Amino acid sequence: MSNTPASKTFTLTDDDNGQSWQYPVLEGTAGPGVIDIRKLYADTGHFTFDPSFTATGSCKSRITYIDGEEGILMHRGYTIEDLAEKSNFMEVAYLLLYGDLPNQKQRSKFDHDITYHTMVHEQINYFFRGFRRDAHPMAIMCGIVAALSAFYHDSLDIWDPDQREISAHRLIAKIPTLAAMTLKYSLGQPFMYPRNDLSYSENFLYMCFGLPAEPYRINPVLANAMDKILILHADHEQNASTSTVRLAGSSQANPFACISAGIACLWGPAHGGANQEVLEMLDQIGTKDRIPEFIEKAKDKDDPFRLMGFGHRVYKNFDPRAGVLKKACDEVLNDLGINDPRLELAMELERIALEDEYFVERKLFPNVDFYSGIILKAMGFPTSMFTVLFAVARTVGWISQWKEMIEEPALRIGRPRQLYTGPAKRSYVPVEDRD
Ligand code: SDX
């Protein structure tokens, strides 16, 4: 980010008295500049008003850049297409956390550090018994991840860089173990302990689908697809759940509690919960001949139904992740010899929607959630686990954004204001005198 004096300013003028104020424009490496309005309230006695933050920059960040018009997604300057094709999730995790791709030595140390944190305290197993077997896995993850702060008192000091790093490693390492335990608990199967001889993605599949009664064979196509899915979901600028993590972190809450807050926000169907909703929507549509009926429902303002997996606050072009996922979908289904009619249905739905004026006019394209559910289903995950897998991947993005915020000089608590539209001041009326 440039720290040189602003070359451009915006002037705000009060039309009632002609008073005006100048606000500097801060320019970044790429993308729109920002108008620095931090002095606006002191100058004018007014707040800005942007309830869903459609035009608000909440922070400076060096981690992820999105160009919604061009459908560009970069992590630390590397395009998501390059990372998905040429890298792997552990490398991308290192890149997000530390800012550069690791050399061989850094890579080996990071792999070792993460691998040797994958086990969870044995007491955590007992938390699961408090949940019904049919509890939604995201409900369990919200609770269990926050509870990690009850076990790791040695890494809760957010001002100590070493403790921040240990907490980050613990979260990245343990989130797949906890996610797999959540799946096993719902199935009534025993928890599978992590194995240090497996890669991150292989280990996750092993803990999810392995059984103590027989050896588990790693399918390299599935492990590769899992790794790609994790890369594609790892970080995405200041989305709702990342902003939740940052806001929680601004109060100096411990990192485990902040990540739990991010998981809670991600659960929403408008956000990470959409991948589960997409599959349920495809099952609801059922056959191609019913697609027009659902397209009309999605366009009907009186009908709350939306085409799940379509549209995005930032992308007004194809979500670059959807294209990579669609290709991975074909590979997984072909390798497994699965002919999932939902894939055909999804592709037909995409074709019809992208020819429909309503979607074209509003630039509603398939997003990351549109194809991910089909792959995850083919890999054997129940629909209820889809958003948990999103959280497994996004944890490295959340903790990288949290770390970046904590390392910013002069961290301040985030505290938005409002436009008050409630009753004017009025006197208290005793209950006997009320109508
Ligand atoms: C993720 O932010 C991120 O980066 C998120 C994410 C990440 O990696 O973190 O990318 C992950 O959350 C992807 C999005 C997953 N959600 C869904 O697929 C749910 C379905 N999509 C939407 O509900 C919606 O598109 C949002 C929530 C994604 C975006 O909502 P916005 O930006 O607030 O857009 P909007 O609701 O104002 O929609 C603009 C117009 C409206 O119509 P008009 O009022 O202009 O007539 O488009 C319509 C909307 O009704 N619209 C849809 C639609 N999405 C938007 N109409 C039908 N179906 C849809 N899916």
Side-chain angles (χ1 to χ4, degrees):
M1 289 294 181
S2 58
N3 292 318
T4 51
S7 58
K8 180 179 173 61
T9 59
F10 276 75
T11 300
L12 181 67
T13 302
D14 183 335
D15 293 335
D16 289 346
N17 58 26
Q19 198 177 356
S20 65
W21 302 270
Q22 291 210 316
Y23 297 98
V25 173
L26 308 180
E27 296 293 348
T29 317
V34 295
I35 303 171
D36 184 348
I37 56 159
R38 282 175 284 188
K39 294 200 176 93
L40 180 88
Y41 179 58
D43 289 345
T44 70
H46 287 72
F47 301 134
T48 60
F49 188 65
D50 184 17
S52 53
F53 311 126
T54 47
T56 293
S58 62
C59 63
K60 290 182 181 179
S61 180
R62 298 175 301 282
I63 299 174
T64 291
Y65 173 68
I66 301 173
D67 180 330
E69 298 305 322
E70 299 301 318
I72 292 170
L73 167 59
M74 294 196 302
H75 294 314
R76 306 283 191 178
Y78 296 96
T79 65
I80 193 64
E81 292 86 352
D82 265 1
L83 292 173
E85 188 190 327
K86 300 168 183 167
S87 189
N88 58 64
F89 183 64
M90 275 295 96
E91 257 202 356
V92 171
Y94 185 97
L95 174 68
L96 291 172
L97 211 47
Y98 298 112
D100 288 304
L101 288 169
N103 60 32
Q104 282 294 359
K105 188 163 167 269
Q106 291 163 334
R107 173 68 204 278
S108 310
K109 183 179 181 315
F110 186 66
D111 269 6
H112 178 275
D113 290 350
I114 296 301
T115 299
Y116 283 83
H117 276 298
T118 47
M119 282 179 70
V120 293
H121 193 293
E122 197 68 6
Q123 290 292 107
I124 285 180
N125 294 6
Y126 300 111
F127 277 103
F128 285 83
R129 281 159 181 62
F131 292 101
R132 290 172 31 152
R133 293 277 178 178
D134 63 354
H136 194 290
M138 284 296 276
I140 298 176
M141 289 296 284
C142 287
I144 293 271
V145 170
L148 288 175
S149 50
F151 290 83
Y152 300 114
H153 299 127
D154 64 337
S155 68
L156 298 182
D157 177 357
I158 65 170
W159 307 118
D160 177 339
D162 294 336
Q163 294 194 32
R164 287 202 297 268
E165 179 159 80
I166 287 277
S167 289
H169 288 181
R170 280 174 167 156
L171 278 156
I172 295 167
K174 297 179 195 304
I175 201 87
T177 308
L178 295 171
M181 291 169 79
T182 304
L183 172 60
K184 286 301 195 188
Y185 186 70
S186 72
L187 299 172
Q189 292 179 356
F191 298 141
M192 297 298 284
Y193 286 97
R195 275 177 45 185
N196 294 346
D197 62 321
L198 299 178
S199 75
Y200 192 91
S201 298
E202 290 170 342
N203 201 15
F204 180 54
L205 293 175
Y206 165 72
M207 291 188 291
C208 287
F209 301 115
L211 292 167
E214 58 188 29
Y216 176 75
R217 188 184 69 80
I218 300 288
N219 177 330
V221 172
L222 296 193
N224 181 50
M226 189 74 250
D227 208 69
K228 203 164 282 189
I229 289 167
L230 293 174
I231 291 173
L232 293 171
H233 289 80
D235 190 57
H236 212 239
E237 201 213 63
Q238 304 312 319
N239 58 83
S241 52
T242 298
S243 300
T244 301
V245 170
R246 279 181 172 260
L247 197 55
S250 75
S251 77
Q252 302 172 27
N254 73 69
F256 303 100
C258 294
I259 298 303
S260 173
I263 292 172
C265 177
L266 185 74
W267 193 1
H271 189 15
N275 52 19
Q276 172 174 345
E277 300 277 332
V278 168
L279 219 75
E280 288 166 3
M281 174 188 74
L282 291 172
D283 288 341
Q284 195 187 1
I285 295 173
T287 52
K288 288 182 186 178
D289 62 318
R290 293 195 64 199
I291 290 177
E293 171 195 340
F294 281 83
I295 293 271
E296 289 313 306
K297 273 172 67 66
K299 292 154 65 172
D300 178 357
K301 292 302 169 206
D302 297 326
D303 189 329
F305 174 80
R306 283 199 160 178
L307 219 47
M308 301 313 279
F310 267 79
H312 199 277
R313 170 59 57 76
V314 176
Y315 289 123
K316 301 307 171 192
N317 197 321
F318 271 93
D319 179 335
R321 300 169 295 178
V324 179
L325 276 167
K326 187 171 169 183
K327 187 166 168 282
C329 208
D330 287 334
E331 288 162 8
V332 167
L333 294 182
N334 288 337
D335 178 76
L336 296 175
I338 293 175
N339 176 26
D340 186 341
R342 281 176 286 227
L343 179 59
E344 283 290 307
L345 188 61
M347 290 166 71
E348 181 65 4
L349 177 60
E350 177 185 353
R351 186 188 67 77
I352 294 175
L354 296 184
E355 289 174 355
D356 185 292
E357 191 46 38
Y358 174 93
F359 292 89
V360 173
E361 194 182 287
R362 291 168 178 77
K363 299 183 178 179
L364 301 176
F365 291 92
N367 59 46
V368 67
D369 294 301
F370 190 62
Y371 285 104
S372 58
I374 296 169
I375 304 182
L376 297 174
K377 198 77 180 169
M379 295 172 79
F381 290 103
T383 311
S384 62
M385 278 293 291
F386 289 3
T387 311
V388 171
L389 300 181
F390 197 145
V392 168
R394 189 52 58 89
T395 291
V396 70
W398 286 331
I399 203 65
S400 299
Q401 298 266 354
W402 171 84
K403 177 174 173 287
E404 180 179 67
M405 178 186 72
I406 299 293
E407 289 170 353
E408 281 287 314
L411 171 72
R412 297 184 70 201
I413 191 165
R415 194 345 184 147
R417 300 302 303 274
Q418 62 174 16
L419 174 66
Y420 176 67
T421 56
K425 187 177 175 186
R426 51 185 171 168
S427 305
Y428 181 82
V429 177
V431 64
E432 57 274 14
D433 298 337
R434 293 173 205 155
D435 299 337

